[in-house]
Amino acid sequence: MSNNQKEEQQPNTLLLSVKQLTLNGADNTVFEWTEIPITDVKDVLTSSNYSTIHWDGYRDGAHFIHANAIMVDLDHNATIEEAVATLDELNLSYILITSKSHSPAEHRFHLIIPVDRPIVDGSQYKAFVEAFCQKHFPNYDRKVRDAGRFLYGSPPDAEYRCVWDRTPIRIEDFPISSGQGFNFKALDNGFLPTLKVRRADGSEVMAAEIFEKTSIYC
């Protein structure tokens, strides 16, 4: 990370898709996008299933809207101390919570790490999570790359750490391989990631994905 990287203080809230905690997979199809005060995040992560991904209705990659943070699931040959040391070195904001299968002998835990701009495409989300984790958390659970991914809530006595006054991950710091590049123009054009517009032909698209001059109807 560059020493001259601009410090960006994180907001004191976290946006998550949440659903009441249940271990029945069939009950985890639709989540509610919710703004949560940082002071309440642990309560939510221990009472709800959750994701940093916002979906338009059904929870799958086809309904991906955007993500303001990524999830990392570590449950194999990783320790909390090692993960925290990496996050400290990178000066990243993060939330860490142990999962239901965690034990002193086998550390199993989840990370939530903000990004510096919304990721607005499911395939780009997958590619970015893979690029970041391969570099810094190579023992991560590969399933967390999925654009329809959620995590199960943790037990009430889970170990929890929150450092939210550092920087987010800079997307430009993790270039994607050929054919999976980020559409930075879409991310930078000033439109909210959730804004949809109707074109003259009647089709609906995300405003952030329009690059050519076109007529739109409000």
Side-chain angles (χ1 to χ4, degrees), residues 11 53-54 59 93 103 105 136:
I53 301 169
H54 184 195
R59 178 188 60 80
S93 293
S103 71
H136 295 297

Side-chain angles (χ1 to χ4, degrees), residues 54-68:
H54 184 195
W55 298 285
D56 180 12
Y58 194 81
R59 178 188 60 80
D60 64 16
H63 292 84
F64 185 102
I65 296 178
H66 73 284
N68 296 316

Side-chain angles (χ1 to χ4, degrees), residues 198-211:
R198 187 181 300 277
R199 295 187 181 195
D201 63 3
S203 62
E204 288 191 352
V205 296
M206 293 294 183
E209 296 175 352
I210 297 176
F211 311 111

Side-chain angles (χ1 to χ4, degrees), residues 115-150:
V115 292
D116 66 347
R117 66 186 76 185
I119 301 172
V120 298
D121 179 86
S123 62
Q124 293 173 353
Y125 177 85
K126 178 178 179 179
F128 179 76
V129 171
E130 183 171 18
F132 175 79
C133 290
Q134 287 285 11
K135 183 171 183 179
H136 295 297
F137 297 101
N139 295 326
Y140 77 109
D141 183 346
R142 270 54 176 172
K143 293 179 182 178
V144 83
R145 300 172 299 179
D146 184 72
R149 182 68 167 169
F150 76 94

Side-chain angles (χ1 to χ4, degrees), residues 169-181:
I169 306 170
R170 285 169 45 91
I171 289 179
E172 291 97 332
D173 289 345
F174 298 91
I176 309 303
S177 61
S178 178
Q180 295 180 309

Side-chain angles (χ1 to χ4, degrees), residues 22-82:
T22 171
L23 300 181
N24 184 347
D27 291 336
N28 288 287
T29 57
V30 178
F31 283 61
E32 181 180 357
W33 187 241
T34 306
E35 185 173 17
I36 304 162
I38 289 298
T39 53
D40 297 341
V41 168
K42 183 182 180 182
D43 291 339
V44 172
L45 300 190
T46 55
S47 62
S48 309
N49 296 338
Y50 59 92
S51 178
T52 59
I53 301 169
H54 184 195
W55 298 285
D56 180 12
Y58 194 81
R59 178 188 60 80
D60 64 16
H63 292 84
F64 185 102
I65 296 178
H66 73 284
N68 296 316
I70 67 167
M71 299 173 289
V72 183
D73 187 4
L74 292 162
D75 57 10
H76 180 68
N77 292 335
T79 69
I80 291 174
E81 290 73 20
E82 290 169 344

